[in-house]
Amino acid sequence: MRAKLSRRILVSLLLYQLVFVLLVSLCIRKDIITMSSGSDHSGFDNPRLVVKKVLAKQQSEGDGARVRRSIGRPELKNLDPFLMLDEFEVSLPAGFPDHPHRGFETVTYMLEGAFTHQDFAGHKGTIGTGDVQWMTAGRGIVHSEMPVGEGTQKGLQLWINLASKDKMIEPNYQELLSADIPNAENDGVEVKIIAGEAMGVKSPVYTRTPTMYLDFTLNPSSQYHQSIPESWNAFVYIVEGEGVFGVPNSQPASAHHCLVLGPGEGLSVWNKGSSPLRFVLLGGQPLNEPVVQYGPFVMNTQAEIEQTFQDYHYYKNGFEKARHWRSHSGH
């Protein structure tokens, strides 16, 4: 009787142990599944989703140059405070000879090769691969932008609007060599911080219109989650590769596409392909002011545009130095 009782107790203990092991195994499996699926989740409770996708199409610009324009096309005339984004690939003798600007900023970022720059105030220099020129046109600049050397010179040019109170300020330049642009790297993700902040690293660039400009490269199987101020407008431009933006089940987007982001806390991106993904993330505080644009002049009213034409034609109110100036590279 005692032997039977002992056997029953032993069997019961073995059954309890088996059930315990099974329960632990199930819990561990659940945790692994949660961790694995969680790695493919957005890093935000309210992620920014892609609300518009625009393919940058080639068009003529300047003197014989071809650009891929995304912002500034009929499908996406502007995205406050951004007025235009061009991806350019230019070879001599084509380029952008002497031309004026007023009322906004241009940001030129060289991806490959070099451009030389001259303006009517005597400022000149060369923007090499990886360099950035942040030019505040303000009340007026006349300048030229021409490729240097053999082959195709590639880059991005962004136009950022200025608030009405800043449109007639004196012109100014901020120029960064590639080596001086802050960068950071983590878990297969590299970022160059042209303006704003990423991975705890800040850019020294002063943005009169509050702006972030980040150049990301994601290796295959990597992901990243970048916060963006919730009141800002933001977009992505894909330079090369293919990526998934917003949420993990979004359709992948490829090179030369501009992705407008909706409201939210930030952007999540995954590289699920076999090649590196490179894109720029732009965000800016909207000005919420009227935009009246005529070519290289951007003001708030039609009367201000007409005054700008008068100023440029008669060399006054900021265009005085244009009367006798011609660039060397532009002609």
Side-chain angles (χ1 to χ4, degrees):
M1 185 72 181
R2 285 181 180 176
K4 288 182 180 178
L5 186 61
S6 296
R7 279 197 297 272
R8 285 177 183 173
I9 291 171
L10 183 61
V11 168
S12 297
L13 286 171
L14 288 172
L15 284 171
Y16 278 127
Q17 285 180 336
L18 182 61
V19 169
F20 178 75
V21 169
L22 285 170
L23 286 170
V24 169
S25 298
L26 285 169
C27 288
I28 290 172
R29 180 174 173 79
K30 183 180 178 183
D31 286 344
I32 289 171
I33 291 170
T34 303
M35 287 170 64
S36 136
S37 63
S39 67
D40 211 25
H41 285 175
S42 171
F44 305 100
D45 293 332
N46 183 24
R48 286 183 177 248
L49 305 180
V50 176
V51 296
K52 190 167 191 173
K53 181 178 176 181
V54 176
L55 176 63
K57 297 177 182 177
Q58 287 202 355
Q59 64 182 63
S60 296
E61 193 66 36
D63 185 2
R66 300 284 289 175
V67 302
R68 287 182 178 270
R69 182 161 296 171
S70 49
I71 295 179
R73 295 185 57 76
E75 311 94 289
L76 187 57
K77 288 187 177 180
N78 55 59
L79 183 66
D80 190 9
F82 305 111
L83 301 164
M84 190 193 80
L85 179 68
D86 281 351
E87 178 184 4
F88 58 85
E89 296 186 11
V90 183
S91 303
L92 286 170
F96 306 96
D98 305 2
H99 59 280
H101 292 296
R102 175 182 274 182
F104 61 99
E105 298 182 299
T106 69
V107 184
T108 304
Y109 181 30
M110 291 303 301
L111 302 177
E112 183 181 320
F115 256 59
T116 185
H117 167 272
Q118 299 178 41
D119 76 14
F120 68 177
H123 185 91
K124 63 176 67 176
T126 300
I127 314 168
T129 302
D131 296 349
V132 170
Q133 182 196 73
W134 199 295
M135 183 185 82
T136 303
R139 66 199 304 256
I141 271 183
V142 179
H143 72 160
S144 69
E145 302 158 290
M146 299 295 290
V148 177
E150 300 296 322
T152 302
Q153 322 299 311
K154 302 178 182 180
L156 300 173
Q157 186 168 96
L158 176 72
W159 288 13
I160 306 173
N161 201 7
L162 287 170
S164 57
K165 66 181 178 61
D166 295 326
K167 285 188 177 294
M168 295 297 285
I169 62 173
E170 291 297 322
N172 182 54
Y173 290 91
Q174 297 178 84
E175 294 172 319
L176 284 84
L177 297 176
S178 178
D180 297 329
I181 296 175
N183 63 85
E185 191 172 352
N186 187 35
D187 290 338
V189 179
E190 182 182 357
V191 59
K192 296 178 182 178
I193 302 102
I194 296 168
E197 179 179 354
M199 296 188 190
V201 178
K202 293 183 179 180
S203 166
V205 167
Y206 169 68
T207 57
R208 193 171 291 276
T209 300
T211 306
M212 69 161 48
Y213 193 151
L214 307 173
D215 177 5
F216 283 100
T217 300
L218 272 67
N219 289 329
S221 302
S222 63
Q223 60 177 286
Y224 192 68
H225 310 282
Q226 173 65 42
S227 296
I228 303 168
E230 292 197 47
S231 62
W232 289 16
N233 288 328
F235 72 94
V236 162
Y237 185 77
I238 303 171
V239 177
E240 61 183 53
E242 185 176 84
V244 173
F245 296 84
V247 289
N249 59 352
S250 295
Q251 286 295 314
S254 56
H256 313 304
H257 279 93
C258 175
L259 310 178
V260 179
L261 305 177
E265 301 168 83
L267 172 68
S268 293
V269 55
W270 295 264
N271 182 356
K272 299 185 178 183
S274 57
S275 302
L277 163 67
R278 186 180 185 186
F279 66 93
V280 291
L281 169 61
L282 285 300
Q285 181 176 303
L287 299 174
N288 297 315
E289 294 181 354
V291 176
V292 180
Q293 179 174 353
Y294 195 97
F297 303 137
V298 183
M299 303 301 286
N300 297 107
T301 67
Q302 185 60 38
E304 290 171 341
I305 289 289
E306 291 169 6
Q307 182 61 53
T308 298
F309 272 101
Q310 290 285 317
D311 293 344
Y312 180 56
H313 183 74
Y314 291 108
Y315 309 110
K316 61 181 184 177
N317 293 330
F319 291 109
E320 290 84 353
K321 295 175 183 176
R323 182 184 296 274
H324 303 294
W325 180 83
R326 297 293 183 272
S327 71
H328 298 295
S329 60
H331 289 274

